[in-house]
Amino acid sequence: MSIELEPVIRTSLSKQIADQIESAIVDGSLKANDRLPTEEEMTQRFNVSRATIREAMKRLAAKKLIRSRRGPAGGTFINALNAAELSDNLITATTLFVSMNDISIEEISSTRKEMETLCCRLACQNRTLEDLEKLEIALVHQSDVHISAEAFCAADVNFHRTLADASHNRMLSFVMYCLIESLQPVANMLSYHFRERSVILNQHRRLIDAVQARNTNLATAIMTEQINYLERLQQDAQSAHANRHD
Amino acid sequence: MSIELEPVIRTSLSKQIADQIESAIVDGSLKANDRLPTEEEMTQRFNVSRATIREAMKRLAAKKLIRSRRGPAGGTFINALNAAELSDNLITATTLFVSMNDISIEEISSTRKEMETLCCRLACQNRTLEDLEKLEIALVHQSDVHISAEAFCAADVNFHRTLADASHNRMLSFVMYCLIESLQPVANMLSYHFRERSVILNQHRRLIDAVQARNTNLATAIMTEQINYLERLQQDAQSAHANRHD
DNA sequence: ATTTTCTATTTGTCATACAAATATAAATTA
DNA sequence: TAATTTATATTTGTATGACAAATAGAAAAT
């Protein structure tokens, strides 16, 4: 027989259920802090076992779309997602993308350069006194000579995030979080050396001043200088590493 | 008694297991297409029930980190993640971010404008003949007058993605996927009207020609024109909507 | 009035069984 | 012999039932 049979799509029940609920969240029929039915109720509603319901819930929990609590007033609730939580997801995804697809330093670096200079332009335009204060605080933290390499890196991420926030464009901030994190391995490497630390700190000092003065050209120039500097350092480290293996 | 007791952190077992495996993927100890032990083996390895292992697996599956297949040569495998699959995750996150945080049209639009013009610049520099062919095909699909509004939107997303890919910067492509999708509701709205469709199609036509001629200024100008056009349309629609409720 | 205890509810985990898919080996057929 | 079919073992998918742990609110005791 040569009848063309539709290939039966067999998606697991837990995925189907998770997808249904996710759609309901995205299209707004389920709102933040809404409570889902209990697992027991859902077994009846969807006519599947509790194990299946639970697997569906874990799928949603992995995306931070829901949270669960035990007890009488407990249950499963839709999460209100802020930028920090969501960017967590983005960062894992971006990190994996970079490592699994062999994205070159140049690709990351050039994208980041363009976007960070965009942040600088907007920060010069839109920065408030509060933004300047936050940048100063971030720089003070990063300037502490006693902090570990990890702490220096975290402080560096924080400085760049603060700068992104000063653009007063939340969409841009959101996207920047990925990129800042993606170039972090470099900073991680170099922060062991105090000489490189001071170069970075000096650039950040001048960057704040330029943003304060709303000097866009100067600010973008300093940012470009920093990212070029980081790119060069990483390339040097890579070629040194390659030579060791010859 | 006033002893300071460490608050016992009680993370669910399934989350702990999922996190362990995710770390192993991120740090490279688990590579693409590696096979995880069978669920039965993992119950023994982690000393938990199979249900718990399965909940952990579903958490990873939700992030597309693993895939599973039944049967003797089946099992659970680490996924090789390409941009398209990962951007799926990003798009949900971005869509939720935009809807839950009331990100304004201006914020999305200005970010997209900057980044799409960046794509144009790089596309003019780096485009190959293959890229041009792909853009032509994308435009042909979008030009079909018989397609539905949804299909027109999908074709529009495809065109902009193809343009992003023509930049030959995969990091940039990756980030662009979020933004293209974020402005999609607008396109969705206007694609019902054939007059607006033809405006978009005309802009795309000129865009391809400009990229082919490597005319950066012209390409970026057309892109800016399109995004401004979309922004204006959405603002008009919003104010019309607001007036209805006065 | 305050504290303690009880109780009911809900998620978290475990154990076992069977269904469904599927690759490989074995048996059958042309 | 070669191709096809059938059996078999393996692995994930689903169902069921039970109990543990957390916890909010009611009831009881102080």
Side-chain angles (χ1 to χ4, degrees):
Chain A
M1 66 179 199
S2 57
I3 309 169
E4 276 298 314
L5 291 173
E6 275 291 306
V8 181
I9 300 160
R10 293 207 56 88
T11 314
S12 73
L13 295 177
S14 66
K15 177 155 173 51
Q16 291 180 44
I17 292 169
D19 286 347
Q20 273 191 49
I21 295 175
E22 179 169 330
S23 306
I25 297 172
V26 170
D27 75 24
S29 10
L30 283 172
K31 291 192 175 51
N33 301 317
D34 279 359
R35 200 190 117 145
L36 292 176
T38 66
E39 295 177 350
E40 193 51 51
E41 281 176 294
M42 285 195 273
T43 60
Q44 291 165 24
R45 189 91 69 91
F46 289 104
N47 196 32
V48 296
S49 74
R50 202 180 142 217
T52 302
I53 294 291
R54 285 186 58 76
E55 287 179 12
M57 293 303 111
K58 295 316 145 201
R59 295 181 114 104
L60 297 173
K63 296 184 180 179
K64 296 188 201 286
L65 293 180
I66 58 168
R67 62 179 184 279
S68 296
R69 234 183 36 239
R70 289 193 258 208
T76 303
F77 300 86
I78 308 296
N79 263 338
L81 292 170
N82 57 32
E85 283 167 334
L86 275 173
S87 65
D88 252 21
N89 296 352
L90 295 194
I91 288 163
T92 335
T94 311
T95 308
L96 279 166
F97 175 71
V98 169
S99 70
M100 286 181 139
N101 294 274
D102 289 316
I103 306 297
S104 67
I105 311 166
E106 287 79 15
E107 282 174 294
I108 300 171
S109 216
S110 78
T111 305
R112 186 175 172 188
K113 203 186 298 176
E114 293 288 349
M115 294 190 59
E116 287 257 31
T117 52
L118 171 56
C119 284
C120 285
R121 287 212 307 280
L122 292 175
C124 285
Q125 270 178 44
N126 306 327
R127 104 278 187 291
T128 62
L129 291 177
E130 202 188 334
D131 293 322
L132 291 173
E133 278 170 34
K134 284 182 186 161
L135 283 168
E136 290 289 352
I137 293 169
L139 183 55
V140 168
H141 282 149
Q142 200 179 9
S143 303
D144 184 349
V145 289
H146 299 104
I147 59 175
S148 67
E150 289 74 27
F152 183 84
C153 286
D156 191 63
V157 167
N158 181 246
F159 181 88
H160 284 273
R161 284 188 174 188
T162 308
L163 184 65
D165 291 342
S167 74
H168 287 266
N169 182 319
R170 286 168 297 172
M171 191 73 230
L172 183 61
S173 294
F174 187 57
V175 173
M176 281 308 298
Y177 279 28
C178 302
L179 284 172
I180 293 170
E181 206 81 20
S182 300
L183 208 60
Q184 217 36 35
V186 204
N188 221 310
M189 189 180 59
L190 66 86
S191 61
Y192 286 97
H193 308 295
F194 283 92
R195 199 178 310 161
E196 278 94 10
R197 277 199 194 186
S198 69
V199 173
I200 299 287
L201 291 171
N202 173 267
Q203 287 164 341
H204 285 181
R205 174 71 267 157
R206 289 185 286 141
L207 205 44
I208 296 179
D209 295 341
V211 170
Q212 178 161 31
R214 299 189 192 277
N215 187 336
T216 305
N217 288 338
L218 182 55
T220 54
I222 298 167
M223 181 57 83
T224 306
E225 174 192 328
Q226 175 164 100
I227 297 175
N228 286 338
Y229 175 71
L230 292 173
E231 192 176 353
R232 217 173 322 120
L233 274 177
Q234 180 152 1
Q235 281 168 339
D236 291 350
Q238 270 198 344
S239 55
H241 187 265
N243 285 337
R244 263 215 310 280
H245 288 272
D246 275 348
Chain B
M1 63 179 201
S2 57
I3 310 170
E4 276 298 314
L5 291 173
E6 276 291 304
V8 182
I9 300 161
R10 292 208 56 87
T11 314
S12 73
L13 295 177
S14 67
K15 179 155 171 51
Q16 291 179 44
I17 292 168
D19 286 347
Q20 272 191 50
I21 295 175
E22 179 168 333
S23 307
I25 297 172
V26 171
D27 74 24
S29 15
L30 283 172
K31 292 193 176 48
N33 300 317
D34 279 359
R35 202 190 115 145
L36 292 176
T38 66
E39 294 177 350
E40 192 53 49
E41 281 177 293
M42 284 196 272
T43 58
Q44 290 164 25
R45 189 91 69 90
F46 289 104
N47 196 32
V48 296
S49 74
R50 205 181 138 214
T52 302
I53 294 291
R54 283 185 60 77
E55 287 180 11
M57 293 302 111
K58 294 317 145 201
R59 296 180 114 106
L60 297 173
K63 297 183 180 180
K64 297 189 200 288
L65 294 181
I66 58 168
R67 64 180 184 281
S68 295
R69 232 183 38 240
R70 289 192 258 208
T76 304
F77 301 85
I78 307 296
N79 263 338
L81 292 170
N82 57 32
E85 286 166 333
L86 272 174
S87 66
D88 255 19
N89 298 351
L90 296 194
I91 287 162
T92 334
T94 311
T95 308
L96 281 167
F97 175 71
V98 169
S99 70
M100 285 180 145
N101 294 274
D102 288 315
I103 306 296
S104 67
I105 311 165
E106 289 79 13
E107 283 173 294
I108 299 170
S109 216
S110 78
T111 305
R112 186 175 172 187
K113 202 185 300 174
E114 294 287 350
M115 294 190 59
E116 288 255 32
T117 53
L118 171 56
C119 284
C120 286
R121 287 212 306 281
L122 292 175
C124 285
Q125 270 178 42
N126 306 327
R127 104 277 186 291
T128 62
L129 291 178
E130 201 188 335
D131 293 323
L132 290 174
E133 278 171 33
K134 284 183 186 161
L135 283 168
E136 289 290 352
I137 293 169
L139 183 54
V140 167
H141 282 150
Q142 200 179 8
S143 303
D144 184 349
V145 290
H146 299 104
I147 58 174
S148 66
E150 290 74 26
F152 183 84
C153 286
D156 191 65
V157 166
N158 182 245
F159 181 88
H160 283 274
R161 284 186 175 190
T162 309
L163 185 65
D165 291 341
S167 74
H168 288 265
N169 182 319
R170 287 168 296 172
M171 191 72 229
L172 183 61
S173 294
F174 186 59
V175 173
M176 281 308 298
Y177 280 28
C178 302
L179 284 172
I180 293 170
E181 206 80 21
S182 300
L183 208 61
Q184 216 37 34
V186 203
N188 222 313
M189 190 180 60
L190 65 87
S191 62
Y192 285 98
H193 308 295
F194 284 92
R195 198 177 312 162
E196 279 93 9
R197 277 199 195 187
S198 69
V199 172
I200 299 288
L201 290 171
N202 174 266
Q203 287 163 341
H204 286 181
R205 175 70 267 154
R206 289 184 287 140
L207 204 45
I208 296 179
D209 295 341
V211 170
Q212 179 160 31
R214 300 189 192 277
N215 188 335
T216 306
N217 288 338
L218 181 56
T220 55
I222 297 167
M223 181 56 82
T224 305
E225 174 193 327
Q226 175 165 100
I227 297 176
N228 285 338
Y229 174 71
L230 292 173
E231 191 176 353
R232 217 173 323 120
L233 275 176
Q234 180 151 1
Q235 281 167 341
D236 290 351
Q238 271 199 344
S239 54
H241 187 265
N243 286 337
R244 265 216 310 278
H245 287 271
D246 276 348

